[in-house]
Amino acid sequence: MLSIHAKKGSTAEHVAQVADYPDEQPDQRPEQQNRPGTGTGAIEDYYSQSNGGTPSIWVGAGAEAFGLAGQAVERKTMTNLLQGLHPDDGRALVDKAGPQRRYGYDLTFSAPKSVSIAWAVADRDLREAIAAAHDAAVAQALRHIETHLPVARRGHAGEERERAHLITGVYRHASSREQDPQIHSHALLMNLAQRLDGTWGAIESWEIYRHKMALGALYRAVLAQRLQEMGFGIERDGDSFRILGVSEDAEREFSRRRQQIEKLLLERGRDNAEAAALATLDTRRRKEVIDRAILAADWRERAAHYGLSAETVQALRQGLLAASYDRAAVLRDLTAHDSTFEERHIWHRVAVAAQACGMGYDEIRAEVAQLRRDAEIVPLQAFGPARFTTREMQSIEQQMVTDAQALAAVDWHLVDGATVRRAIEEADREAEQKGFSLSEEQRRAIWHITHRIGALQMIQGHAGAGKTTMLDAARRAWEAAGFRVHGAAIAKKAAHGLFHGANIDSQSLAALLLSLKPGEDPVTGEPIPPTRTLSARDVIVIDEAGMVGSRMMQALLAQVRASGAKLVLVGDIAQLQAIDAGGAFRALQKTGPDAVAYLKENLRQKGDKAEDMKKVVALTRQGDAAKALEILDRHGLIEIADGWQEAAAMAVGRWANLYDAGRPQEALLLAATNAATETLNALARNVLKSRGLLDDRQAVTITVRDRQGKSLGQREIALGERLVFRANRNHAGILNNEAGTVTALSEGFHGPEITIRKDDGGEITIIPGQPVPEGRPERQISPGAGYAQIEYAYAGTTHRNQGTTADHVVVFADGSMESREKAYVDLSRMRHTTAVVFARPDIENDLAELGMEPEVQGFEAIKKIIGAMSRSQQKDTSLDYAGTDKLEPETGTTEPTPASIPNRRHVAP
């Protein structure tokens, strides 16, 4: 994997911290050069053989210009270059040279876990060969930046970009901070580049961040090729790879220490997250030094339990044939999640495929060039970087629009006016009993989808606008007119909400489409008719339609058109986008604007701050996140912490003060990533324990698993615990992302038995250790048997909570409020308040990722980066670009150039 962290500061002390942090030789004095015999027994010393400190080297054409390439990194040279000074005489090479600047970027390349394990137990010669393969892979990824990315600034405000010669100090480490084997290199890329005319200037980080996935895949591909040349067998592992013969159990063993130490540190109240801090201003916990012999012996002993030793690792080198490269699979991958792509995505997907195929960098480069010329790839006319699509995706999206346009003239689904009025009146009476009434917008929307010509109707509804209430009234009208109403959504939880909120029988969209397709008998091969058929008497309602990708939307439209049924799409293009390729809902709204009704009035916010909170939601949706956060700041709802861990604790503290064990779902804690939610959940549990809201006297410990049954580690479960289900189980009534509270714990024949009261009032007892019964009767007897797909539910990701509403929301802005869509979801979940907590390191890294200079700090820095929150990242379609369709592209729907870096011009090398 590859991570990128910006490094900046304002004092000589900050320069020294950055110069020191990659070198984990704790006893080395600042003025002391690396030389043999000066080690203290640290594991880095043990495996560097000839080096008393962390193995280091200068690389890059810029380093060659100073005669540094291939030499070990010396501290004085490093401190000069970090400040933009000549490494020898200290003269300024760039404007604003000195300690107050962005020093550079830490590109950390980490080998897959199986590689680090093999290295840890191998003999010396093989260890050195594996380390050399890693070094070569890192060097190649860095050369790719020099040869392919325009990273040097030139011209007024640095608007022009060109390729340049770079300087990077690379430090190879062999262990993680938790003392597990982990080969990784910190490549400290100087914010200093030699342009093509020989002058020096600062570098542009934006392109490096944009190419992060491709650079990481290129590193892994070169590493995998070198390992295959040694004789190791390689297999794909998602977008990464693993060495054949190193088991997943062994990988979990050597990731276990991290979990153990984090738990210990949390219990003791110590900071364990500063190692992940993104700026030099944070106090960074050094790796603890453990005697080399003790640590190496520990690794060998633990590996032996999984059949791994120097001899067995050597035996893994059997020279197995590499897998064959499949260009068709790469083409499919290119449009798996997006309808269009850039050249950097081609590099990424080819490099991922190359890992198991023994392809080196030169072969990858040749294949990228051939793919650019492949007839299946269609070039598009786009502003900014060149974009492409595939003929398959282009055909799907053109057919999607054709089907939608054909449905516009269908007129046999009209409900008569009297029936619609009665349905609205009935729904209004029920609403008044609950203390509200239908809005005028809701009434117009009901008329639109029931009493208007067209077999495709759409509702574009803002967050909190009452879409489900409106659909309940429409359902009454359709059913009174003799239509059958079916509902579906991408997520089964959303379909469940459609059923409970609008009384529409609903299922997942995937299940609906599967039921409409004919099958085949696996034994006889005889065709099996579909389990469901549609007719002109059917109305299909799709909730959260903005989450439906182009392939699935086209399949649904084809079924509706062929059967004569009616389709109603309800959603919000301004919220989170489809995981699959294509912004289909937005594209359909553009092709049939007369078929769209709008629900804009926000009915969600309540209480004394309601008007201001509604303004926050509206401003965020409009893309004016700066004004939205200013309103929150006036109400004391914005906080900035100096470090990442402090910010996490601050967010949890705010959340805990709002948490009511009697109504736990009314305090929502959001973050962007699963890694962040794990930290927040651990902190939240400690707080609730200290307040007596979790009873761990009868606590049990279980192994939780993913949907494929792979272990995700152990979790302690206490009485009062909040858990979220992470997989559907139909016969048990369990929905993915549904939450509940533990009401009983006991020990049974198959281990712990956990009774959970779901938030919808249902109750289920899960027995994670019990084998899953076979057959329908057995499953009904033990519906919770073998269910271990659970996680703590105190904090959750934004994506998981798009359809959730709570009284109070706390957002941990872990460097990822990067789009208008995500910010809109984060800030629109609340009825009363939303608080946002930022970490200063994340703010500064965001500035770097967006290519912004760090002159400002604090809330002013936030206001500068939230331009990113104001940029739309709605998914595009192949129809958005000239040359593929007559439709005009919609402003702001493709990946934009950051507003802070306007009118970029690339200068040819």
Side-chain angles (χ1 to χ4, degrees):
M1 64 172 288
L2 168 63
S3 62
I4 305 176
H5 296 158
K7 297 294 175 184
K8 67 171 286 284
S10 58
T11 68
E13 182 181 357
H14 296 152
V15 176
Q17 289 173 3
V18 176
D20 288 341
Y21 96 93
D23 190 343
E24 296 188 346
Q25 178 69 16
D27 288 352
Q28 185 172 308
R29 296 187 305 275
E31 69 278 5
Q32 180 182 4
Q33 298 182 14
N34 292 336
R35 61 180 185 271
T38 61
T40 63
I43 193 66
E44 307 300 343
D45 170 37
Y46 178 63
Y47 286 119
S48 63
Q49 287 91 42
S50 62
N51 195 318
T54 304
S56 64
I57 189 172
W58 287 111
V59 301
E64 290 178 7
F66 289 126
L68 296 174
Q71 296 185 17
V73 178
E74 295 184 2
R75 191 174 186 277
K76 179 182 177 182
T77 302
M78 171 66 79
T79 56
N80 276 349
L81 291 172
L82 289 171
Q83 297 176 83
L85 306 175
H86 193 286
D88 297 327
D89 57 31
R91 71 177 187 272
L93 296 174
V94 297
D95 292 338
K96 300 180 181 178
Q100 187 168 1
R101 70 189 300 262
R102 182 168 291 139
Y103 305 133
Y105 305 88
D106 174 16
L107 282 64
T108 306
F109 296 88
S110 299
K113 179 60 71 174
S114 61
V115 177
S116 295
I117 295 171
W119 169 88
V121 298
D123 59 41
R124 177 174 295 226
D125 289 343
L126 185 53
R127 277 200 310 270
E128 291 180 349
I130 293 173
H134 165 80
D135 292 344
V138 171
Q140 183 60 73
L142 295 172
R143 279 196 296 273
H144 184 79
I145 298 175
E146 281 192 319
T147 56
H148 285 80
L149 306 189
V151 296
R153 299 175 176 180
R154 184 187 292 281
H156 176 69
E159 291 179 359
E160 296 179 8
R161 299 289 185 266
E162 62 184 58
R163 296 175 194 168
H165 297 157
L166 304 178
I167 308 173
T168 308
V170 182
Y171 298 78
R172 179 178 11 106
H173 296 171
S175 57
S176 69
R177 292 188 176 278
E178 288 71 35
Q179 306 301 339
D180 282 325
Q182 182 190 345
I183 301 177
H184 63 286
S185 287
H186 290 278
L188 194 54
L189 174 63
M190 301 295 103
N191 186 19
L192 181 65
Q194 186 182 38
R195 296 179 291 235
L196 299 178
D197 61 2
T199 62
W200 293 85
I203 68 172
E204 166 54 69
S205 60
W206 187 62
E207 289 288 349
I208 298 173
Y209 280 96
R210 281 184 359 102
H211 287 76
K212 173 184 171 182
M213 301 301 290
L215 292 169
L218 284 169
Y219 156 74
R220 294 191 303 273
V222 175
L223 175 59
Q225 185 232 1
R226 296 294 183 105
L227 293 170
Q228 286 170 321
E229 289 177 347
M230 295 180 206
F232 286 109
I234 299 296
E235 65 177 353
R236 283 278 296 270
D237 183 18
D239 273 3
S240 186
F241 73 89
R242 55 206 315 274
I243 292 178
L244 285 170
V246 179
S247 69
E248 292 184 14
D249 287 337
E251 291 180 0
R252 283 193 291 273
E253 166 64 28
F254 285 101
S255 300
R256 184 191 65 184
R257 185 64 56 87
R258 176 181 180 86
Q259 299 167 4
Q260 293 174 336
I261 291 181
E262 284 183 352
K263 179 181 177 182
L264 178 64
L265 291 172
L266 285 168
E267 289 174 350
R268 294 180 178 178
R270 290 175 57 194
D271 182 358
N272 76 307
E274 291 301 329
L278 308 181
T280 62
L281 299 182
D282 287 301
T283 301
R284 192 168 182 273
R285 182 174 61 86
R286 279 195 177 274
K287 182 185 297 182
E288 296 175 6
V289 179
I290 296 179
D291 184 85
R292 63 193 185 189
I294 293 175
L295 188 53
D298 173 63
W299 289 350
R300 290 193 295 267
E301 180 181 351
R302 291 161 63 193
H305 289 293
Y306 300 92
L308 295 172
S309 64
E311 293 75 20
T312 58
V313 168
Q314 193 69 244
L316 297 179
R317 303 170 66 185
Q318 298 181 17
L320 300 175
L321 290 176
S324 299
Y325 175 75
D326 185 351
R327 181 179 291 182
V330 170
L331 288 169
R332 289 193 298 271
D333 287 344
L334 281 168
T335 57
H337 300 293
D338 293 282
S339 292
T340 71
F341 49 89
E342 299 176 24
E343 183 174 312
R344 61 190 170 102
H345 300 111
I346 302 177
W347 278 98
H348 176 214
R349 296 321 310 177
V350 171
V352 167
Q355 293 172 160
C357 303
M359 294 168 60
Y361 180 82
D362 290 340
E363 293 164 291
I364 293 170
R365 182 177 57 188
E367 173 60 11
V368 170
Q370 289 184 33
L371 270 172
R372 284 285 306 268
R373 299 188 295 270
D374 193 289
E376 180 59 24
I377 288 186
V378 180
L380 304 171
Q381 297 180 28
F383 173 78
R387 296 195 78 83
F388 310 86
T389 190
T390 62
R391 295 198 181 279
E392 180 223 16
M393 180 54 68
Q394 187 179 53
S395 175
I396 286 171
E397 293 181 332
Q398 288 177 338
Q399 186 61 50
M400 177 181 74
V401 170
T402 298
D403 287 343
Q405 291 171 337
L407 293 171
V410 174
D411 62 359
W412 53 74
H413 302 100
L414 296 180
V415 179
D416 67 272
T419 301
V420 176
R421 276 190 291 272
R422 284 195 299 271
I424 292 176
E425 290 169 359
E426 183 180 340
D428 228 355
R429 284 194 297 271
E430 288 193 9
E432 288 174 359
Q433 293 174 4
K434 299 176 183 178
F436 66 95
S437 62
L438 295 177
S439 69
E440 286 303 313
E441 275 190 336
Q442 289 173 312
R443 295 168 193 270
R444 287 195 296 270
I446 295 164
W447 281 99
H448 179 88
I449 59 180
T450 59
H451 192 65
R452 188 186 179 283
I453 291 176
L456 172 63
Q457 303 293 346
M458 290 170 276
I459 299 293
Q460 165 59 35
H462 294 193
K467 296 185 286 290
T468 305
T469 302
M470 177 274 301
L471 285 174
D472 185 37
R475 173 196 57 79
R476 298 168 193 262
W478 284 319
E479 290 181 344
F483 291 101
R484 297 176 299 182
V485 186
H486 316 273
I490 286 290
K492 198 163 185 180
K493 181 183 177 184
H496 190 63
L498 185 60
F499 171 72
H500 282 280
N503 294 298
I504 297 174
D505 188 25
S506 303
Q507 62 188 136
S508 72
L509 182 52
L512 172 63
L513 290 172
L514 183 63
S515 71
L516 296 171
K517 290 176 60 177
E520 182 180 283
D521 189 291
V523 178
T524 66
E526 294 292 321
I528 300 174
T531 58
R532 172 182 294 185
T533 57
L534 299 177
S535 74
R537 304 306 299 169
D538 288 297
V539 176
I540 308 296
V541 177
I542 305 299
D543 196 15
E544 295 193 354
M547 300 289 289
V548 182
S550 293
R551 288 186 177 89
M552 192 169 280
M553 188 69 81
Q554 193 276 323
L556 179 62
L557 284 165
Q559 289 282 356
V560 170
R561 184 181 179 185
S563 65
K566 177 179 177 123
L567 177 63
V568 178
L569 302 175
V570 183
D572 186 1
I573 61 174
Q575 296 191 47
L576 297 180
Q577 303 295 289
I579 295 175
D580 296 332
F585 190 39
R586 182 187 59 81
L588 292 175
Q589 290 188 32
K590 289 170 59 181
T591 60
D594 292 340
V596 186
Y598 295 89
L599 291 174
K600 299 180 179 180
E601 184 182 357
N602 184 354
L603 307 173
R604 179 173 294 164
Q605 277 69 58
K606 312 291 182 185
D608 59 345
K609 298 182 180 68
E611 291 308 310
D612 273 358
M613 295 303 106
K614 286 182 178 181
K615 289 178 184 177
V616 167
V617 175
L619 288 166
T620 307
R621 182 188 179 87
Q622 295 165 13
D624 200 344
K627 288 183 180 178
L629 293 191
E630 284 176 353
I631 294 173
L632 293 178
D633 191 43
R634 287 202 303 270
H635 286 280
L637 295 169
I638 298 290
E639 291 192 84
I640 305 172
D642 285 337
W644 193 89
Q645 186 72 7
E646 291 94 333
M650 195 176 288
V652 168
R654 272 190 172 268
W655 166 86
N657 290 335
L658 300 166
Y659 183 81
D660 180 352
R663 301 169 65 244
Q665 64 271 35
E666 295 303 338
L668 190 61
L669 181 57
L670 296 179
T673 63
N674 288 325
T677 61
E678 287 178 11
T679 298
L680 295 173
N681 277 323
L683 291 169
R685 293 189 77 248
N686 280 354
V687 172
L688 295 184
K689 281 184 181 180
S690 69
R691 298 184 181 185
L693 297 177
L694 277 183
D695 184 354
D696 59 356
R697 289 173 296 179
Q698 303 177 44
V700 299
T701 299
I702 65 167
T703 298
V704 299
R705 302 186 181 277
D706 64 14
R707 295 178 190 178
Q708 287 71 46
K710 180 179 178 180
S711 171
L712 297 176
Q714 292 190 319
R715 304 289 187 273
E716 179 190 76
I717 309 297
L719 280 174
E721 199 84 70
R722 289 285 292 168
L723 299 174
V724 61
F725 299 102
R726 300 299 292 123
N728 293 319
R729 179 172 284 188
N730 294 340
H731 65 268
I734 295 175
L735 298 176
N736 182 36
N737 287 335
E738 189 178 22
T741 303
V742 174
T743 57
L745 294 168
S746 61
E747 195 71 27
F749 181 78
H750 295 288
E753 299 182 358
I754 305 167
T755 301
I756 303 168
R757 184 182 66 249
K758 298 186 295 181
D759 288 347
D760 68 1
E763 190 169 86
I764 181 72
T765 297
I766 62 171
I767 311 173
Q770 181 178 353
V772 180
E774 296 183 4
R776 187 178 300 274
E778 290 80 8
R779 291 200 303 268
Q780 290 174 345
I781 294 171
S782 300
Y787 193 93
Q789 289 73 24
I790 57 174
E791 192 50 87
Y792 299 128
Y794 307 105
T797 62
T798 301
H799 202 279
R800 192 190 304 170
N801 286 280
Q802 171 157 292
T804 303
T805 302
D807 283 350
H808 299 281
V809 179
V810 177
V811 179
F812 175 53
D814 52 326
S816 48
M817 292 183 74
E818 74 286 352
S819 72
R820 183 189 307 180
E821 288 74 29
K822 182 184 181 301
Y824 182 48
V825 173
D826 281 335
L827 300 182
S828 64
R829 301 303 91 204
M830 45 82 170
R831 294 190 188 92
H832 296 287
T833 62
T834 297
V836 186
V837 180
F838 292 89
R840 199 179 309 281
D842 282 339
I843 295 170
E844 292 167 354
N845 205 60
D846 282 348
L847 288 170
E849 185 167 351
L850 295 167
M852 298 179 184
E853 287 304 312
E855 291 89 357
V856 294
Q857 297 182 359
F859 191 69
E860 290 303 311
I862 293 177
K863 289 170 67 175
K864 192 167 183 177
I865 66 169
I866 57 178
M869 294 165 57
S870 300
R871 295 199 317 268
S872 174
Q873 290 187 2
Q874 289 178 358
K875 286 202 171 183
D876 62 1
T877 69
S878 61
L879 309 173
D880 289 321
Y881 301 92
T884 61
D885 197 270
K886 295 180 181 179
L887 298 173
E888 292 298 322
E890 183 174 333
T891 301
T893 57
T894 58
E895 183 174 359
T897 299
S900 60
I901 318 172
N903 303 321
R904 292 169 184 259
R905 290 183 289 159
H906 291 182
V907 179

